[in-house]
Amino acid sequence: MKRIWFVSFGMFLAAVLAGCSRQVDSAVPSATATPAPTAAPIESSASPTETPAPALSPAAEVGVEYEDLSFLSDDPRQVYELAYGLRYALYGIPDNLVGMDVTPKFTHQVDDDKVFVRSVGNYLLYENPYSDFTDLMQRVFTADFIKSLGPLYTEKFVDLDGHLATSGDPALRCPMMDDLSRTVMDNCPDTYRLESATDDTVVFTLISHYDRNWDTSFTPEDMDVYTIEYPIRLVRTADGWRVDEFHCTDFGYAEALFEPPLSEQDAQIPTPDFLTEEQKQLYLRAYKMMLVRAGTYIIDDTQYFPCDTPDTTRTQADTVTLDGCDYTPALHRYRNWDFFYATLRDIFTKDFLADTYLSSDGFCYFRSVDGDMYYLLTERGMAAGYDPATTTMTFTKQEETDEKIVIGVTAVYATDDSGSQAFRQAVQDGLISDTTSYTITLVREVGGWRFASFDVPY
């Protein structure tokens, strides 16, 4: 079987190191706000001796695919429908709250002429107290899920003088999924497969349909349909049923907006000063995901990509052989293929992923096997002379339009006493250069800026 190994001077791996443009945008001034503390938990009205209502309808069967939510009993079904109704507010433009069919209704504060919504900085103000929003979230989701939302909860929805305020920051809007259109939504609606159920937990799969021809499909015959399956988990708490894991067709793995996690050390990587803050953050995310250049195995290394819930059912010895090559299962943060791809797709273009990142030089480095992510084990090591503490980088803007930015990068590896003596000698002997140059390209897509080409000095 083939196992690919790359060799370079440096084998030591030094410590190196989230706009929905299909929705209506609202322009507001820039500012910051301080989130309020989470509201107190809702008291349960259920009697402790009351027999729990069944989680499923009488005819529900595990393993069966359903066209609707009829397999759920009323309470879990209603809480899931509320969660689904919140998807555009949580992941897209937060002011979709105004149109929701909930009690109490959410309404904006308006000026005396009832023309403009009142705002403070880039936050739009509501008549509702902030507790209306936190109470709604706690009626629908578990505390763990709410915590997992991170800035989508703590920065997007805040307390300003007791009132709810929502952020207009595009960086807090998740991109909508590729290949989603009205044609595929109308002709191939979501379906659901019941996976497991106990008195206190229901797990089912949301089967979402997408169309590769979404931009040219006007009839069902035009479509090239594929599906992505998302896990959904509902749990019974002391206060009733709550959604504990949630994804949706429109935004997929929306949490990929904040992937990969960036450490304090990651934030020290130099970035082009002419980029916006949002673009600089995207650059840092791309820079970290390119760690696989030093070795594909790094994608499963918890030193760089931490994971609290590893897959304990498999080991790295559980390889599969495809096209004559042994592929190793990812067991940690990016073990789910769709989540891994969603993370990459929020950073890079499709073409870059297909031609450079996932595959290149005739080899497929990362691939999906039954929904799991597997990688071809490679190790190249760091570029000779690279050291994050001593390598300097300069950036030049070579081209800029509304849709494209081309950046020239020059990295210089240290050849003084701060660098490697062996590398310094190799440079003096003319065996290697102390400088490398390359270009990277940002392009504006429907979901926001993405890198169409990217490289790193290591």
Side-chain angles (χ1 to χ4, degrees):
M1 305 305 171
K2 298 177 186 174
R3 182 166 291 187
I4 314 303
W5 299 89
F6 296 95
V7 180
S8 80
F9 276 58
M11 297 299 291
F12 169 71
L13 181 59
V16 185
L17 8 302
C20 273
S21 59
R22 297 185 203 178
Q23 302 181 49
V24 178
D25 196 359
S26 51
V28 287
S30 175
T32 58
T34 303
T38 303
I42 304 168
E43 295 294 328
S44 173
S45 59
S47 166
T49 59
E50 183 179 330
T51 302
L56 303 178
S57 61
E61 294 183 47
V62 171
V64 173
E65 186 172 333
Y66 294 88
E67 295 182 353
D68 55 31
L69 296 165
S70 58
F71 59 92
L72 294 173
S73 62
D74 287 347
D75 288 349
R77 176 179 52 78
Q78 288 170 4
V79 77
Y80 173 76
E81 289 174 341
L82 267 175
Y84 212 77
L86 276 164
R87 68 194 188 282
Y88 279 108
L90 293 178
Y91 299 132
I93 296 175
D95 300 296
N96 282 290
L97 279 175
V98 172
M100 285 195 65
D101 184 16
V102 292
T103 302
K105 295 284 188 182
F106 288 88
T107 57
H108 283 129
Q109 294 183 30
V110 295
D111 62 8
D112 293 339
D113 295 327
K114 301 188 184 303
V115 175
F116 297 105
V117 175
R118 296 187 186 277
S119 63
V120 174
N122 71 338
Y123 282 86
L124 299 184
L125 301 180
Y126 280 70
E127 296 287 354
N128 303 69
Y130 179 69
S131 58
D132 280 358
F133 175 70
T134 56
D135 288 351
L136 172 62
M137 290 291 291
Q138 292 173 23
R139 291 201 309 269
V140 177
F141 300 105
T142 63
D144 285 344
F145 177 82
I146 292 173
K147 181 179 179 181
S148 75
L149 289 171
L152 294 180
Y153 182 76
T154 59
E155 296 179 20
K156 197 171 190 175
F157 305 90
V158 302
D159 184 328
L160 286 180
D161 298 326
H163 288 270
L164 173 65
T166 57
S167 173
D169 186 351
L172 295 175
R173 300 177 200 164
C174 304
M176 296 189 76
M177 287 292 292
D178 291 326
D179 304 335
L180 188 63
S181 70
R182 176 52 57 189
T183 305
V184 72
M185 293 169 70
D186 289 344
N187 291 280
C188 299
D190 296 341
T191 56
Y192 313 87
R193 185 176 62 248
L194 179 60
E195 304 294 352
S196 64
T198 67
D199 288 343
D200 297 322
T201 305
V202 175
V203 177
F204 65 90
T205 296
L206 166 65
I207 305 173
S208 301
H209 297 72
Y210 302 95
D211 175 19
R212 294 183 180 88
N213 300 333
W214 70 270
D215 54 344
T216 58
S217 294
F218 298 101
T219 68
E221 292 74 21
D222 299 329
M223 298 189 300
D224 181 7
V225 177
Y226 66 97
T227 61
I228 295 179
E229 299 188 354
Y230 302 106
I232 308 293
R233 182 171 58 253
L234 310 178
V235 298
R236 192 196 302 268
T237 72
D239 301 312
W241 285 94
R242 299 292 185 267
V243 178
D244 192 49
E245 182 172 6
F246 179 75
H247 309 283
C248 61
T249 299
D250 312 76
F251 298 98
Y253 286 94
E255 62 270 33
L257 177 68
F258 303 107
E259 292 291 322
L262 298 177
S263 66
E264 290 184 7
Q265 190 172 12
D266 296 329
Q268 302 306 310
I269 297 298
T271 59
D273 57 10
F274 48 80
L275 295 181
T276 66
E277 289 304 314
E278 182 180 357
Q279 291 165 345
K280 289 178 182 178
Q281 194 73 5
L282 187 68
Y283 178 91
L284 291 176
R285 294 167 63 200
Y287 197 92
K288 186 161 187 177
M289 292 306 290
M290 292 297 285
L291 273 170
V292 297
R293 283 293 181 86
T296 51
Y297 67 93
I298 297 173
I299 201 67
D300 210 31
D301 188 334
T302 55
Q303 178 183 354
Y304 303 101
F305 304 104
C307 176
D308 296 328
T309 56
D311 181 355
T312 57
T313 64
R314 298 175 296 161
T315 71
Q316 291 185 335
D318 294 324
T319 60
V320 298
T321 302
L322 298 167
D323 301 326
C325 296
D326 291 336
Y327 285 85
T328 301
L331 305 176
H332 296 99
R333 192 178 194 94
Y334 297 118
R335 63 185 180 273
N336 177 286
W337 173 264
D338 290 326
F339 181 53
F340 174 59
Y341 188 82
T343 294
L344 296 172
R345 188 64 186 92
D346 198 51
I347 301 170
F348 304 106
T349 64
K350 276 185 174 181
D351 287 346
F352 178 80
L353 292 177
D355 300 336
T356 303
Y357 193 98
L358 300 175
S359 302
S360 67
D361 301 323
F363 292 101
C364 179
Y365 297 116
F366 303 94
R367 65 195 309 164
S368 173
V369 180
D370 297 328
D372 296 321
M373 197 274 274
Y374 282 71
Y375 57 92
L376 182 64
L377 187 61
T378 69
E379 182 168 6
R380 185 205 69 179
M382 293 294 181
Y386 176 77
D387 184 326
T390 61
T391 299
T392 61
M393 299 172 64
T394 57
F395 305 94
T396 57
K397 188 191 303 181
Q398 297 183 349
E399 179 184 346
E400 182 177 22
T401 68
D402 290 342
E403 305 298 325
K404 182 179 180 181
I405 302 173
V406 180
I407 303 166
V409 185
T410 299
V412 179
Y413 309 119
T415 55
D416 57 17
D417 292 342
S418 66
S420 160
Q421 181 179 351
F423 176 72
R424 181 166 60 251
Q425 188 62 52
V427 172
Q428 291 173 356
D429 293 342
L431 300 176
I432 197 168
S433 173
D434 65 346
T435 303
T436 184
S437 298
Y438 50 87
T439 60
I440 57 181
T441 304
L442 265 173
V443 296
R444 189 193 297 274
E445 295 191 331
V446 172
W449 289 97
R450 302 289 184 272
F451 284 103
S453 66
F454 199 87
D455 210 339
V456 287
Y458 51 78

